[in-house]
Every structure is written in C-alpha cells, then in structure tokens.
Amino acid sequence: MADTKPIFTIPQLHWMQRADLGIAGFFLCVIIMLVMPLPPVLIDLSIAINLTLAVMIILTVTYVVKATEFSVFPSLLLITTLFRLSIEVATCKLILLGQGEGIGIVKTFGTFVVGGNIVVGIIVFIILTVIQLLVIVRGTIRVSEVAARFTLDAMPGRQMAIDADLNAGYITEKEASEKRVEIRKEADFYGSMDGATKFVQGDVIAGIIITVINIVAGLGIGIGMRGESMGTAFANYTTYTVGAALAAQIPAFLISVSTGLLVSRTASDHNLGTDVVHQMTSSPKILWFATGILAFFMLTPVPKIPLFIMMCGMGALAYIMTGALKLSEQKAHEEKKQDERERLKKPESVAELLQMDQMELEVGYGLIPFIDPEQGGDLIDRVTIIRRQLALDLGIIVPPIRIRDNIQLRPNGYSIKIRGLEVGKGELKLDKFLAMGPQGSQVESLKGEETKEPIFGVTAYWIGTAEREKAEAAGYTVADSVSIVATHVTELIRKNACDLLGRQEVQTLVDTLKQNYPAVVNELIPALLSLGELQKVLHCLLIEGVSIRDLLTIFETLADWAPRTKDIIFLSEKVRQSLARHISKQYQSEDGILSVITIDPQLEEKIAASIKTGPEGEQLSLDPGILQKILVSVQEIVRSAAKQRPVILCSARTRRHVKTLMLRILPTIGVISYNEIGSDAQVRSVGTVNAN
C-alpha cells in the first residue's frame, strides 16, 4: 500500500511550539512597561490585549467540562494580574505627565462610557470595585479554600479505591495510572487555586490605591507645578484617572468572574452553558409555574408590556419543552421495545432462557399485597429471615428465592418450585386464619371451613378473626396466610436441602472453611476426596436432616477415614458418629430426654444377617412377612407415643437399612445408632419393635 500524506497541514503548530519564547518576551515587555514610559498608542494596544485576554478566559471557562482541563489558569491568573498592573502603572505615568488625552481608550472610558459625568464615573468605579471585592472575590476565595481542603482530604481514599479496583481486576494498570495522574492534577490545581485567588483580591485593592494616588497626585501636579486652577486640574486628571480605572477594572471583573466559575464548577459531562440550559429547562412544570407567576403579576399595577413579553416567552418555552419531553419519553419507550426485540432475536437470548432459578415462589395476583412492601407486605422480609435461619440450622447457603406473580395460578394460590419443578403448592384465604389441631379433634363452637393444611396434609379449618381466640383456647395452632407460606417454604427447603447443595455451593463452603482452617482443607481436598465425593457425603447427611454446619468436624472425620476407603455410605456413617451430640440434641426434649423405639435383639440379628453385599453395594433381603410385621409394630408405637416425638434406636450396622425401610411409611421419623447418642442425653424407651 502506498504511503499517504495529509492533504492539509496546520501552520500554527510551528509558532505554537515556540510559545515559551513568547512568554519570555511577554515578561520582558512587562518590565519595560514598569520602568520606561510608553507612547499612548502602545498603551491603547496593551489595554485592548488585556480586554481580549479577559474575554477569552471567561469564554474558555464556560466551555470546559472539568476544571482540570484549564490547568494553566492559576498561572494565567498571575500573568494577567501582572500585565494589568503594569498597564495601570504605565497609564499612571502618562496621566501624571499630562499626556492622558492621547490614550484613546482611557479617554473614551472617561467621557463616553460614563456620559461625560465625572461623579457618575467615580460612582460606577466604586460600585464595580465593591461588587468585585466583597461579592465575587470573597466568595471565590472561600470556595477555593473548601475545594482544596476536600480534594486533599479525599486524595488517600481515592488512591486506595483505585488500588482496590486494580487488584479486583475492574481496571487495567494503564487505567489505574491515568486515574492516579488525574487525582494528582486535581490536587495540584485546587491547591494552586487556593493561593491564586489572592492575586485577584490584591489586584482589586491595588487598583483602588492606584486610582486614589492618580487623583491626589494629579491635583498636586496640576495645581502646584503647572499652575492650573482647581476645577481644571480636577476635571482633567479625574476624567483620565476614572477612564484608566474603568479600563482596568472591567477586564479584572471578567477574570474574577471566570475564577469564581472555575472553582465552583462541579463534576459534569458537559460545559457550563449546556448544563445551565438543560438543568433549568429540563422540567416543564417549573416553566409553567413561572408563566403562571408572571400572569399573576400582570394583575398588579406594574408595566404590562415587559411582563407580557416574558410571560409569552416562558409559556412558549414550557409548551415546547413539554412536547419535547413527551417525544423523548415516547422515543425512549420505542427504543426499549426495539432493544428487547433485538435481544430476543439474538442467539444469546436462548442461552438466557436456559438459566434456571434454584428456588421460585409464584403467587396469584390476589397475593401480590403480601409481596409488595408499599402495600404492607412483608413476605420478602420473611423469606430473607428464613434463608438466614436455615443457614444456621442446616449449615448450607440457601439460594435466593425468586418471588413473582403468575396469572396462571388461582388468585389466592401459590406454588413453590425447586429447579423448575413444583415441590409444593397451596391456596390461601386472605381474610381468614388457618386453625390446625391434632387429627380427629373438633370443637363444636368453632365455626370454620374444613380444609387440608398444605404443609403436612392434616385437617385444618379456615376461621374468621372472631373465632381465633376460641380456636387457640381449644388447643388449635392458628396461623395467618403469610406465616403459612413462610412455614411451607421452610419445610420444603429442609426436605430438599440436598437438591439445593450443588458443587458450586460445596466449593463455596470449602473456600469459607479454608480461610480459617487451611491445613484441614488441604489435607482432604483434593488429595483424599474429590469435590463430588464430598458433595455425596454431605447429601447423605442432609437427606436425613443432619446439619452440616460443623464442617470442621466433618472434614477432620473424613480426613481420618478417607485414606482407608472411598465408600460414601461408610464415610457418611462415620461422620454421623462424630456428630453424635448434634444429632441426639436434634431429637431431645427441652429437659434432655431422648425418647427412643428399640428393636428386639433377635429381630435386629435377623436384619443384620439379611444384609447382602453385591455389585451395587449393601442390600436388605428380609422376608416380606417380617418386613410387614416390623412396619405395623413401628406404626403402633409411634401412634401411642406421638407427643414424645420418638426416634428408632438400632446398631450402626443396621441403621441405614432401617432408615430405608421406614421411608415407606414414616419418612420423617429419625433413625439413629447407639454410637450417635450424645453424652448428655437421657435415653428413655417408649416401646420395642418385634416381629412376633
């Protein structure tokens, strides 16, 4: 490919690269103006340059987005102040030498600008000076001090935030370096501005002193040395002095305003003009209110024409902005719909559809008040508490539960899903309470609609508020609708805890334990057990409702036995024995009594002898008749001792097989071995299972 050359060049670049020589020449000119008298034409040129610089500075300030974009401003402030003072000194020389009439700009400011009235000129000069000194300069100094202090105080924190983002990988090293340079520039800029604003204050004071000296010295020279009359001397010297003062103060005023604008500039993405117009006209309501206020003032005796013009202007602007706002909202809505359509067309949208929530709670539209906090619903807060409590009880990280409405459900119905599959559902009555009691219990005075409790399937009654106290007095458990949903979610999480513990969740548990016990984790994972094998052990515990919160004990036990075997069932039983105190505590009453159902020793020997080991592991091959007798015996004992919440106690050899057998008729009953009884438990037998 042939080399290409730019068609146009920028000839200014050559002399702009030599700007350092211009600055040096400028300071030389300042020295000359301070020492040597200059002809009036050069004074006029200097005053014009000073006024031009002031206009350029204030326009530059209005167009910068960030204050640091005009980083040379503090130095430029000193340069312009020095240049203006040198002009005032050079002008003072010519006025006192009687050559003030030759300075055209000074003469114009002294005669035409003030209307030929010296007193008016003095008053205008005093007003400009007071405004500049007491309002603009004082405010600018204060803002500069505050900005410098806050910028310097925030600098260490901002540096630490950059380091944190860099360590987290949010930004690159180059971006971090650029941000550090930006912070340093801001600190240097506001620190310099804090001192540079004093130049403006000193410039104003110096202008006042020079003006007074010009008038007093001019009167002395005119009357004492030139023999002029008092009136003639006052008219001549005062006119030129006021003209020179105004010619200097107007550029100084512009630069003071520029300083105030720059130091008070807040963070933004646009220049000053754009921000002012956008923020003041962004709300049509304000413009309509302003129009109404102007219309109200039209009823007063003030002149109508100016108010009418402004009212029409504000009304027209309000009308235009209202239409523009509606158009912008409509356009944004259309763009959102278009983006949604484009998103659905993309292949990635299919992948998004494949994402599945771990847990979902769908409700009918009639239950939305339970969800919406603005309508007094606290179901979301209840779910948050449930997740925290189950994390303490089970030792697992319960995933976030997505709650949303589903119009396909009945208005007062709800559905609980785990990984897209429905595991529970129910229907509520918002204005009633659910009264639940022991099966078969009934109170004649209790007026309610009979139903099935959605959690455990027991008989329950929907009752009104008036019947609540009667039901509670009769021994019924009374719950409101939100409590029913919360309890249902809790029980389903307990029941399906193993399905919620995936490998990623196991990895999170491992990482958390490793922070405090790295030696234990490193010994077990992955040297002895893989993450998948650890997951299976934890699943075996959760299936039977054993908490895995004591993860340290679980890891230490596995580290002891995993070198001998990788049998998941064997390892799970050994872990259960290590968690004996936790397991027995789970079934103990408040006074420490553990109610157990024992198995006849001869029957237990038959069960142990019926355990056969095959390719798929151990299997129980017991005679069906004996199995039936065992199940009937257990049911009778549990029915007679239901209030004591008994568990089945057997040997470690037969425990797992007895639990598998009980899953057919009593899935919630606990089955523990003798090795799983805590030292503080008081064992009390409530019956013995036999096959006679």
Side-chain angles (χ1 to χ4, degrees):
M1 181 180 293
D3 295 338
T4 58
K5 295 182 179 180
I7 299 176
F8 301 102
T9 58
I10 304 177
Q12 294 93 332
L13 287 179
H14 179 70
W15 65 265
M16 287 176 67
Q17 293 172 353
R18 299 293 181 179
D20 53 340
L21 298 178
I23 294 295
F26 168 80
F27 283 113
L28 180 61
C29 293
V30 168
I31 295 174
I32 293 174
M33 293 172 67
L34 292 173
V35 177
M36 299 176 59
L38 299 179
V41 64
L42 291 181
I43 299 296
D44 281 337
L45 179 60
S46 300
I47 295 175
I49 293 173
N50 185 32
L51 184 60
T52 303
L53 286 175
V55 173
M56 289 180 62
I57 289 173
I58 195 170
L59 291 177
T60 303
V61 168
T62 58
Y63 276 97
V64 297
V65 176
K66 295 186 295 184
T68 52
E69 292 181 3
F70 202 3
S71 58
V72 299
F73 186 80
S75 300
L76 188 60
L77 196 61
L78 173 60
I79 292 173
T80 54
T81 301
L82 182 60
F83 183 52
R84 189 163 49 255
L85 291 175
S86 64
I87 292 174
E88 292 180 3
V89 172
T91 305
C92 176
K93 293 179 185 178
L94 293 183
I95 292 174
L96 295 180
L97 291 174
Q99 301 177 17
E101 186 175 358
I103 309 175
I105 296 180
V106 171
K107 183 178 180 181
T108 302
F109 272 95
T111 56
F112 177 74
V113 173
V114 298
N117 192 321
I118 301 302
V119 177
V120 173
I122 295 175
I123 293 174
V124 171
F125 170 74
I126 293 174
I127 291 174
L128 282 176
T129 304
V130 170
I131 293 174
Q132 186 175 352
L133 184 61
L134 298 183
V135 179
I136 300 176
V137 174
R138 290 185 63 179
T140 301
I141 291 175
R142 179 57 180 165
V143 173
S144 298
E145 292 174 350
V146 174
R149 183 170 68 251
F150 277 92
T151 301
L152 294 174
D153 290 345
M155 190 174 178
R158 295 176 66 183
Q159 292 278 14
M160 292 175 63
I162 292 174
D163 295 337
D165 289 344
L166 178 62
N167 295 333
Y170 297 140
I171 58 177
T172 62
E173 183 67 37
K174 182 179 179 181
E175 292 173 337
S177 178
E178 292 175 353
K179 288 179 178 292
R180 293 190 187 99
V181 171
E182 182 67 22
I183 292 175
R184 188 169 62 253
K185 284 183 178 179
E186 288 186 9
D188 293 342
F189 175 80
Y190 286 108
S192 299
M193 286 299 300
D194 187 22
T197 51
K198 302 298 190 296
F199 297 146
V200 180
Q201 184 180 25
D203 180 30
V204 177
I205 297 174
I208 297 173
I209 296 173
I210 291 173
T211 301
V212 173
I213 291 175
N214 271 349
I215 295 176
V216 174
L219 290 175
I221 292 174
I223 297 173
M225 298 179 62
R226 298 181 181 176
E228 298 177 354
S229 63
M230 181 67 178
T232 302
F234 182 80
N236 290 335
Y237 290 102
T238 305
T239 299
Y240 300 136
T241 300
V242 170
L246 290 176
Q249 283 302 315
I250 290 177
F253 182 83
L254 294 178
I255 293 179
S256 299
V257 173
S258 303
T259 307
L261 289 175
L262 194 62
V263 297
S264 60
R265 192 84 169 94
T266 57
S268 175
D269 295 330
H270 306 284
N271 57 54
L272 179 62
T274 303
D275 283 342
V276 170
V277 173
H278 174 71
Q279 295 178 22
M280 291 192 66
T281 61
S282 60
S283 178
K285 293 182 180 179
I286 297 176
L287 301 177
W288 285 119
F289 276 122
T291 304
I293 293 174
L294 292 174
F296 172 77
F297 280 117
M298 288 284 291
L299 303 177
T300 63
V302 298
K304 304 293 189 297
I305 295 178
L307 289 177
F308 181 76
I309 294 174
M310 291 303 301
M311 184 184 68
C312 293
M314 293 297 293
L317 183 59
Y319 178 78
I320 294 172
M321 293 305 300
T322 302
L325 183 61
K326 291 182 179 179
L327 184 62
S328 176
E329 292 177 352
Q330 182 179 359
K331 184 178 179 181
H333 181 67
E334 292 177 355
E335 289 179 352
K336 183 178 180 181
K337 292 175 62 178
Q338 181 65 25
D339 292 342
E340 183 67 18
R341 288 193 293 267
E342 293 294 333
R343 186 181 66 83
L344 293 175
K345 291 179 182 179
K346 294 180 179 179
E348 290 78 6
S349 62
V350 178
E352 293 176 2
L353 293 175
L354 297 178
Q355 296 294 326
M356 184 179 297
D357 295 314
Q358 290 280 74
M359 284 201 67
E360 299 174 83
L361 173 59
E362 296 181 346
V363 299
Y365 63 83
L367 301 183
I368 292 179
F370 288 165
I371 303 174
D372 189 1
E374 296 182 357
Q375 301 184 45
D378 62 345
L379 183 57
I380 296 178
D381 295 334
R382 292 276 192 102
V383 169
T384 302
I385 295 173
I386 289 171
R387 293 180 61 221
R388 293 176 180 174
Q389 186 60 44
L390 289 176
L392 295 175
D393 292 346
L394 299 178
I396 66 172
I397 301 173
V398 180
I401 303 174
R402 181 184 292 274
I403 304 176
R404 55 188 173 194
D405 60 312
N406 186 347
I407 60 175
Q408 296 179 351
L409 295 175
R410 292 177 177 268
N412 294 337
Y414 67 90
S415 172
I416 303 171
K417 295 181 178 180
I418 293 181
R419 296 186 177 180
L421 297 177
E422 185 178 79
V423 294
K425 62 180 180 179
E427 190 167 354
L428 308 174
K429 293 186 180 295
L430 304 184
D431 56 343
K432 295 185 179 298
F433 295 89
L434 190 66
M436 298 162 286
Q439 192 172 9
S441 64
Q442 187 175 1
V443 180
E444 295 181 359
S445 59
L446 185 64
K447 298 179 181 179
E449 178 185 347
E450 185 174 345
T451 184
K452 287 292 184 180
E453 187 268 335
I455 305 172
F456 303 105
V458 300
T459 302
Y461 300 90
W462 287 112
I463 61 175
T465 306
E467 301 292 322
R468 181 176 182 178
E469 293 184 1
K470 295 180 180 179
E472 291 176 344
Y476 282 81
T477 301
V478 181
D480 58 13
S481 297
V482 176
S483 299
I484 294 171
V485 177
T487 305
H488 202 171
V489 170
T490 302
E491 292 302 320
L492 288 176
I493 292 176
R494 291 183 183 276
K495 184 178 179 181
N496 299 274
C498 62
D499 294 332
L500 299 175
L501 187 68
R503 297 200 179 187
Q504 184 59 52
E505 288 75 20
V506 174
Q507 183 64 59
T508 303
L509 295 176
V510 172
D511 294 339
T512 304
L513 183 65
K514 190 174 182 179
Q515 294 177 2
N516 296 321
Y517 303 97
V520 177
V521 175
N522 293 334
E523 181 183 359
L524 181 65
I525 304 293
L528 300 177
L529 289 180
S530 67
L531 195 66
E533 291 169 333
L534 174 63
Q535 179 191 15
K536 292 177 182 178
V537 172
L538 299 180
H539 278 185
C540 290
L541 298 175
L542 291 173
I543 288 174
E544 297 193 39
V546 178
S547 173
I548 61 172
R549 189 181 178 192
D550 190 2
L551 207 59
L552 178 60
T553 299
I554 296 174
F555 271 55
E556 289 179 340
T557 303
L558 292 175
D560 292 337
W561 292 97
R564 307 182 188 182
T565 179
K566 295 293 190 297
D567 187 299
I568 301 300
I569 302 300
F570 177 83
L571 294 176
S572 301
E573 293 299 320
K574 290 300 181 182
V575 171
R576 287 180 61 94
Q577 295 173 17
S578 299
L579 298 174
R581 294 186 61 185
H582 297 280
I583 294 175
S584 61
K585 194 73 174 179
Q586 180 179 348
Y587 300 109
Q588 288 177 224
S589 61
E590 294 182 358
D591 53 359
I593 296 177
L594 179 64
S595 301
V596 300
I597 300 173
T598 59
I599 299 178
D600 183 78
Q602 295 181 356
L603 176 59
E604 191 161 7
E605 289 180 3
K606 289 182 180 180
I607 296 174
S610 301
I611 300 174
K612 306 298 182 183
T613 304
E616 297 181 358
E618 292 183 346
Q619 300 292 331
L620 181 63
S621 59
L622 197 62
D623 181 79
I626 298 178
L627 288 177
Q628 185 63 28
K629 292 179 180 180
I630 293 174
L631 297 178
V632 172
S633 179
V634 171
Q635 284 180 312
E636 291 177 353
I637 298 173
V638 170
R639 188 180 299 112
S640 61
K643 293 183 179 181
Q644 302 176 32
R645 296 177 61 246
V647 296
I648 298 176
L649 181 63
C650 58
S651 64
R653 173 73 175 131
T654 62
R655 193 209 67 81
R656 183 175 67 88
H657 300 284
V658 173
K659 176 61 180 177
T660 304
L661 185 62
M662 291 299 107
L663 289 176
R664 303 178 183 179
I665 57 169
L666 297 171
T668 59
I669 193 171
V671 180
I672 64 175
S673 68
Y674 295 102
N675 297 333
E676 296 170 7
I677 298 177
S679 58
D680 58 342
Q682 301 178 28
V683 181
R684 177 181 299 172
S685 176
V686 297
T688 302
V689 179
N690 55 64
N692 297 329

